[in-house]
Amino acid sequence: MISITLPDGSKREVSSPTTVHDIAKMIGPGLAKATIAGEVNGTLCDASDLIEQDSYVRIITAKDNEGVEIIRHSCSHLIGHAVKQLFPEAKMVIGPVIDDGFYYDISTTTPFSSEDLLKIEDRMKDLISTEYDVIKKMVRRDKVIEEFTVRGEDYKLRLIEDMPEEQEMGLYYHEEYLDMCRGPHVPNTRFLKNFKLTKVSGAYWRGDSKNEMLQRVYGTAWADKKGLQAYLKRVEESEKRDHRKLGRKLDLFHFSDEAPGSVFWHPKGWTLFLELLDYMRGRQRAAGYVEVNTPDVMDRGLWETSGHWFNYREHMFSTQTEDDRIFALKPMNCPGSVSMFAQGLKSYRDLPLRMAEFGKVHRYEPSGALHGLMRVRHFTQDDAHIYCTEEQMEQECIDVVALVLDIYKDFGFEDVVIKLSTRPEKRIGSDETWDKLEGALTNSLDMMGLEYVLFPGEGAFYGPKLEFVLRDAIGRDWQCGTLQVDMNLPERFDITYVDERGNRDKRPVMLHRALFGSLERFAGILIENYSGDLPVWLSPVQAILCNISAGQEEYIAGLLEMLAKKGFRVEADLRNEKIGLKIRENTIQRVPFMLVVGSKEVEDDNVSVRTRYGDDLGPMTKAEFVSLLEKHIKAKRWINSNDES
RNA sequence: GCCGGAAUAGCUCAGUAGGUAGAGCAGUUGCUUCGUAAGCAAUUGGUCGGAGGUUCGAGUCCUCUUUCCGGCACCA
């Protein structure tokens, strides 16, 4: 007899050995039927695994997060079962769980089409409806190799080679199909009913573009129908706030075949862009930055000195002039900034020197990487380079991190993922230097008590970096702000300052930082974040004056002039149209305030105010409306329909 | 860059088995002067992304190419 402790603290004596499923059955037949897996002494296991000693046991059902993950994992196995029936020559690779779903990488002779995806999904549904049992067996390594050799599963054999220490593997039998997995998995396919295959794409073996491309089948799966439908609905809603769609609808920007990856900003979009720029300029000035401007096109020699020419040559736009000089469009602002620093003698009294530049950079990004405003070939950085002493470095890092997080708050981003990327293989500078630089970043985060995710080997070739990551409408993460510390470029460009004892050869440390990162990308993220309802301070048109009929033009003209003089972005809609149409169209354009002016308002010398959310705020004096606008602009934050007034 | 998909009017999209293009909205013109999400009528828009090919005939089939979309890889 062994003793089993359940989550509620109750204990059961059972004969040994037993299984999670047996325990569930003892508690009740309903629970037994719902059992997907178990957690024994903190470790997930299959419902069929034997328990041979006193244990703490938790039963996992579809109601648990782990249960849903197991469902997803088993769904990926089911892809295998279906694919091998439809395409016997296919070789299965790996099928892991991801956010909201799963995928399976498969090696095939010909790539899957979208029709194939439907065929696979249909076969999976058929297999589910037979409600077959999934059988788990622990099998000795040599037997596993034998099994997969017979079945020609070359990739499974390669995966086994990757785990030389494992002597026994879990094999899951899905009728005639066999998969190798750590598990746990569902005991029966009836748990897998609420799934959908979502897309098929190529993916490199081991994630390396030098390797062959496999077929990746993606899917999503949920505990119940409601969960699945809610997910599909969420995806649909997210697609509606895609910045590329809203950019067209709200007349903010467009792209053209002639300039792939470069934005044509329309007046309204450019208003947003400039507003962001003004905001950042103000914040930086307040934080002790100076602003400079450096050339867009500079000689190849500069890029050789910086190291960019050797590391990024193929991603740079370059040009050859009549005199055979090769110039490159700057892909980064740092070499220009360093040249700026090198101009004239610098004293320790000048440090820290915080030199900002709204530099437009060009990068020849791979064609497949381009994505609306998020990934472009021509973008504007709110860049700055901070030159300081080694002693000042840590405090400067802290100040930058504090500033960027405070700025994000103004846009409603409270949860920002911070990534720390350390030295890459392809790098310049000594290991001692890298130790110091990485130390400065980790120390400053630790001192601020901030969590971060470590990405070993992902740093820039000249220094480690912090990245501040924001999430877009459909859950994709985009790097915005970045902070990099660098002792290498100062070395390469041989920049120095004079210390307090008159030594002229002191080497400053250089911090590269961008807070929005790319203004284009940040604008894109904002459009999605706000779903097109830009807060009043960022709205291209903050209010629109709509007349009821001819006769109010003069009053509106006066009002327009008054508001424009106060610096508000206000327009008039004097078209010979009914007020209903004007309200509709300006609501669709997401103008925060629509001011209705008829003969009544002219007579009372006021305006009737309506919001883009359909709230009628009724008549108010011109002064009242001005203070309403001012209040919103000062608040900066996004205001939803409940508190627009 | 790699795999798959797409490209038809300013926008959203139809286009049936290859038989020289169609809707709604927008635009334009006229009428209407109107009170909080679409007033009425008339009407202009397209070498069907580009280049080749098959065919008596191609938006439709084939090849190449450009751009976009979804992933993968990349992201100084």
Side-chain angles (χ1 to χ4, degrees), chain A residues 333-395:
Chain A
N333 301 302
C334 31
S337 174
V338 176
S339 303
M340 185 75 88
F341 183 91
Q343 184 63 222
L345 210 55
K346 295 288 182 297
S347 153
Y348 72 97
R349 291 173 190 277
D350 296 320
L351 307 184
L353 173 59
R354 306 184 190 94
M355 208 154 72
E357 174 173 15
F358 290 98
K360 280 176 272 179
V361 296
H362 288 78
R363 298 178 182 179
Y364 187 73
E365 302 283 6
S367 56
L370 302 180
H371 182 97
L373 294 176
M374 306 302 201
R375 196 75 187 271
V376 286
R377 287 188 174 149
H378 169 191
F379 63 98
T380 313
Q381 289 181 315
D382 57 330
D383 209 352
H385 299 92
I386 301 173
Y387 300 88
C388 62
T389 65
E390 223 172 283
E391 294 69 45
Q392 292 167 332
M393 168 165 74
E394 209 161 290
Q395 185 57 47

Side-chain angles (χ1 to χ4, degrees), chain A residues 233-248:
Chain A
K233 183 86 189 157
R234 206 166 79 222
V235 171
E236 201 182 304
E237 290 298 318
S238 300
E239 280 165 3
K240 279 190 206 152
R241 49 160 76 188
D242 187 314
H243 75 281
R244 292 164 299 186
K245 276 188 190 171
L246 289 171
R248 209 174 12 246

Side-chain angles (χ1 to χ4, degrees), chain A residues 260-276:
Chain A
S262 292
V263 195
F264 287 73
W265 284 105
H266 296 194
K268 285 179 178 168
W270 192 241
T271 302
L272 165 62
F273 188 100
L274 288 178
E275 199 63 46
L276 291 173

Side-chain angles (χ1 to χ4, degrees), chain A residues 49-300:
Chain A
D49 283 352
L50 297 180
I51 302 170
E52 298 177 272
Q53 52 192 305
D54 291 359
S55 297
Y56 170 91
V57 173
R58 186 161 74 97
I59 310 244
I60 308 265
T61 70
K63 287 198 174 75
D64 301 296
N65 288 334
E66 295 96 327
V68 178
E69 292 219 348
I70 293 165
I71 286 172
R72 289 175 184 153
H73 204 171
S74 296
C75 271
S76 94
H77 277 197
L78 198 64
I79 292 179
H81 194 179
V83 164
K84 293 293 280 190
Q85 287 190 356
L86 295 165
F87 309 92
E89 76 293 349
K91 299 184 193 309
M92 305 308 291
V93 187
I94 48 165
V97 173
I98 50 171
D99 280 356
D100 298 333
F102 55 90
Y103 68 76
Y104 215 124
D105 282 350
I106 305 157
S107 168
T108 60
T109 42
T110 46
F112 288 141
S113 65
S114 14
E115 290 85 71
D116 291 335
L117 189 71
L118 290 175
K119 264 192 247 164
I120 297 167
E121 186 177 278
D122 283 344
R123 181 59 62 95
M124 286 169 73
K125 283 180 184 157
D126 292 345
L127 291 170
I128 289 168
S129 67
T130 66
E131 303 197 353
Y132 68 77
D133 286 333
V134 178
I135 314 289
K136 180 194 182 185
K137 285 184 190 160
M138 290 306 291
V139 179
R140 269 197 2 247
R141 184 187 180 89
D142 56 332
K143 283 284 180 196
V144 175
I145 292 174
E146 200 181 306
E147 271 285 3
F148 284 127
T149 306
V150 169
R151 289 163 186 260
E153 293 285 9
D154 304 345
Y155 285 90
K156 295 291 178 193
L157 292 170
R158 287 160 86 171
L159 293 173
I160 294 170
E161 283 170 26
D162 287 349
M163 25 189 195
E165 70 294 347
E166 297 288 328
Q167 289 313 311
E168 211 184 32
M169 283 88 170
L171 292 187
Y172 288 85
Y173 288 81
H174 292 246
E175 298 182 325
E176 82 286 359
Y177 174 69
L178 176 60
D179 214 327
M180 174 177 69
C181 193
R182 205 173 280 129
H185 280 279
V186 298
N188 186 286
T189 57
R190 68 192 153 81
F191 291 102
L192 308 180
K193 291 187 172 143
N194 303 293
F195 85 100
K196 187 174 163 47
L197 295 188
T198 48
K199 55 200 167 202
V200 58
S201 81
Y204 298 107
W205 161 241
R206 292 195 197 280
D208 189 334
S209 60
K210 288 196 278 290
N211 293 338
E212 68 272 29
M213 187 159 262
L214 308 167
Q215 292 300 302
R216 179 171 294 180
V217 175
Y218 284 94
T220 184
W222 298 81
D224 52 29
K225 203 170 185 166
K226 244 171 62 189
L228 176 64
Q229 279 168 344
Y231 169 77
L232 296 174
K233 183 86 189 157
R234 206 166 79 222
V235 171
E236 201 182 304
E237 290 298 318
S238 300
E239 280 165 3
K240 279 190 206 152
R241 49 160 76 188
D242 187 314
H243 75 281
R244 292 164 299 186
K245 276 188 190 171
L246 289 171
R248 209 174 12 246
K249 264 191 191 148
L250 303 179
D251 194 19
L252 302 174
F253 57 84
H254 80 270
F255 289 88
S256 149
D257 288 3
E258 285 72 42
S262 292
V263 195
F264 287 73
W265 284 105
H266 296 194
K268 285 179 178 168
W270 192 241
T271 302
L272 165 62
F273 188 100
L274 288 178
E275 199 63 46
L276 291 173
L277 195 95
D278 283 352
Y279 168 83
M280 186 55 77
R281 194 166 263 154
R283 293 296 307 248
Q284 288 184 162
R285 197 178 292 134
Y289 287 75
V290 292
E291 187 181 325
V292 298
N293 193 261
T294 66
D296 291 331
V297 179
M298 289 184 277
D299 193 273
R300 163 182 173 169

